[in-house]
Amino acid sequence: MLRFAQTCEQIGATASRLAKIDALATYLRALDDDDLAAATRFFSGSPFAPTEERTLSVGSRTIVAAAHAVWQLPEDALASAYREAGDLGAALGTLVREPAGLSLFRETLTPASLKLALDEIADAKGKAANKRRQYACERIFAACASPLEATYAIKILTGDLRIGLREGLVLDAIAAAFSRDADDVRKAAMAAGDLGAVARAAKADTLGAVDVAYGTPIGVMLATPLAYGGPYPILADGGWIVEDKYDGIRIQAHTFGERVALYSRTHTDVGAAFPEIVAALREHAGDAIYDGELIAIRDGRVLPFRDLQTRLQRKDPAPELQAAIPVQFVAFDLLARGGRFVIDLPLVERRGLLAETLVPLDDRIAIAPWSALEAGSAPEIVHARFDESRARGHEGLVLKRTDAPYAPGRRGKWWLKLKRELATLDCVVVAVEWGHGKRAKWLSDYTFAVRDGDELLVIGKAYTGLTDAEIVANTDWFLARQLPEDEAANAYRTLALKRRELVVEPTLVVEIAFDVIQASALHKSGFSLRFPRIVRMRTDKRPSDADTLERVRTIYGEMLARESGG
Ligand code: AMP
């Protein structure tokens, strides 16, 4: 593992993609088959192939206990090393010494032997599981001959191997290591779903023989946001189709033999929660991989996302629940049919094949309707389609290039999503700050809060959204509403404000749009917003009409559920 660790260091130390590929390729080329498969998987982020259906569950407590047993660490050495390094691998690595009670036959740690120990950890079950995990960790540590080796072994154990490697880069390194065509490697990776197997096939020159691995999910293609408003020069050439943007759970459905798997975006098979969809897909003969969205819909009306969430949480749902919240799989792409991937075909051809392959027999399955966008279509036409989609209960539009292949795992310009914020928050401005640059003379930075009972809790700060004229006018308005010193002193404390902020009477309500809510210790509300921007001033609202912490929690919960399922 020493060479593995040194390669990681080399990769981490350079920003050059080519140098990273070169270091990795040189390392991979020298490995035997078992080490090659294991090391490639480590680099790709997970020690296991998806087909193994194993996960590594080893807590830091077990790792620390094993480290103490093997290296007899001084009492508080670890705590201070951890504070210093901020990462368990790096912290323990510095404390490595000759194992206490050194055995005569010291094992050498190789990627393959580490993989075997990780298998043991993943497979440990029952009462003594923790002990077995700890023993396996102890064996790993005892075999580490140097701090660097230990550091990286622990990083793999904790799933913390962050050396800036993307899957594409690992694939390119495999191609470079064995002088294979990068495209062949990429296709094989899609088919096998396991980079370890691909590396071995590249070495053996059998890349072409890797079949579609049904039952192994591949990365889904993603869309880039397109700001609502137009004009849309990117859409001018007439090479686009328009689809509704469904607000459900992204599903990659594999139908093969008698089996049907419904993979969510996190590659979990959620089929057990949606038996009616599994049954409906099983009625379609032939092996295929479909891409689509699962939505809750009753009598043609789309139901709110939280209904879908209720379904998602219930495995083996009772018939009453299935009737109360009916679901539908809306397919919008075909990735494989029989033994062949079709992702290299242009979208229009894949759409043609999809219509042939999946003929809906009832409401449980639908093919997403689409229409072509004519060359030179005015923004009004796009917006009319947008409104129609919203009227059908969907989120907006997805625009897709007709000639584009399916690019797994990529967010590119071939698919564009057009939506408006689902939620905005009405917040109260509690403090303001002088701007920077050309805004230095104005109070342009607003700190705002949500309500929690009688209290106001800060949730964020926004700099953008208002016009210069509004900011100028507000500057005087705020200056006239600065809190007197004693009240301000109190507010600094209760609202946890910075001294450079001017505390103002909490009277102005602003509507805030944002991309994501995060749990965060930064603000007193316990949340922060990503990319907050002021949509408008809500002079029609009083502070008591502002949104509450409760609503923030709800939006946050919905967002988490959507991320894990959709
Ligand atoms: P967002 O979640 O806003 O990043 O939007 C991307 C998601 O939109 C995708 O991951 C899909 O789950 C979903 N989506 C809904 N409708 C479509 C569609 N017609 N084509 C592609 N993706 C879609």
Side-chain angles (χ1 to χ4, degrees), residues 52-336:
E52 289 184 88
E53 296 190 344
R54 282 187 166 116
T55 47
L56 199 62
S57 56
V58 55
S60 48
R61 195 175 294 181
T62 307
I63 296 174
V64 170
H68 273 287
V70 174
W71 293 312
Q72 315 262 298
L73 306 178
E75 254 323 294
D76 30 336
L78 178 58
S80 56
Y82 188 60
R83 263 197 308 278
E84 189 105 321
D87 160 324
L88 197 55
L92 279 171
T94 60
L95 302 171
V96 171
R97 38 164 104 181
E98 277 298 301
L102 183 68
S103 75
L104 208 50
F105 303 101
R106 180 182 200 156
E107 279 182 79
T108 332
L109 197 63
T110 62
S113 69
L114 176 57
K115 166 75 168 70
L116 286 178
L118 297 178
D119 287 350
E120 221 178 291
I121 292 173
D123 294 345
K125 282 202 189 65
K127 263 206 196 132
N130 263 337
K131 269 274 159 268
R132 285 186 51 195
R133 290 190 197 113
Q134 185 179 326
Y135 287 145
C137 290
E138 286 178 23
R139 277 216 338 269
I140 296 172
F141 296 162
C144 285
S146 73
L148 195 62
E149 225 178 341
T151 300
Y152 281 94
I154 293 163
K155 281 180 192 284
I156 292 169
L157 269 173
T158 52
D160 236 356
L161 192 65
R162 288 177 306 236
I163 49 172
L165 275 187
R166 301 207 166 179
E167 180 168 302
L169 206 142
V170 179
L171 294 178
D172 285 349
I174 294 173
F178 305 106
S179 311
R180 308 283 172 228
D181 185 72
D183 238 18
D184 291 346
V185 174
R186 190 176 55 84
K187 274 190 214 150
M190 232 130 38
D194 165 28
L195 296 200
V198 173
R200 284 170 89 143
K203 186 175 180 206
D205 198 8
T206 53
L207 284 172
V210 179
D211 284 335
V212 175
Y214 285 102
T216 304
I218 63 176
V220 296
M221 182 161 173
L222 298 166
T224 299
L226 180 66
Y228 188 94
Y232 305 108
I234 191 170
L235 303 175
D237 70 351
W240 298 84
I241 64 161
V242 185
E243 292 172 7
D244 286 351
K245 183 173 191 301
Y246 304 92
D247 184 18
I249 303 170
R250 181 75 173 268
I251 291 289
Q252 187 179 98
H254 291 217
T255 64
F256 50 116
E258 277 298 292
R259 273 198 65 189
V260 173
L262 305 181
Y263 295 109
S264 72
R265 231 160 108 165
T266 48
H267 293 182
T268 328
D269 185 354
V270 295
F274 306 106
E276 66 270 56
I277 304 295
V278 170
L281 283 169
R282 197 173 282 132
E283 286 167 30
H284 290 84
D287 299 348
I289 301 180
Y290 305 100
D291 190 5
E293 192 90 355
L294 197 139
I295 55 173
I297 183 165
R298 191 183 322 112
D299 306 326
R301 287 301 312 160
V302 182
L303 304 177
F305 188 79
R306 63 175 173 280
D307 285 345
L308 199 54
Q309 224 169 307
T310 310
R311 286 291 313 259
L312 189 63
Q313 283 155 359
R314 206 73 51 81
K315 281 191 181 163
D316 205 4
E320 298 78 53
L321 183 62
Q322 292 186 35
I325 309 176
V327 291
Q328 181 179 61
F329 175 60
V330 190
F332 49 69
D333 219 318
L334 179 76
L335 312 192

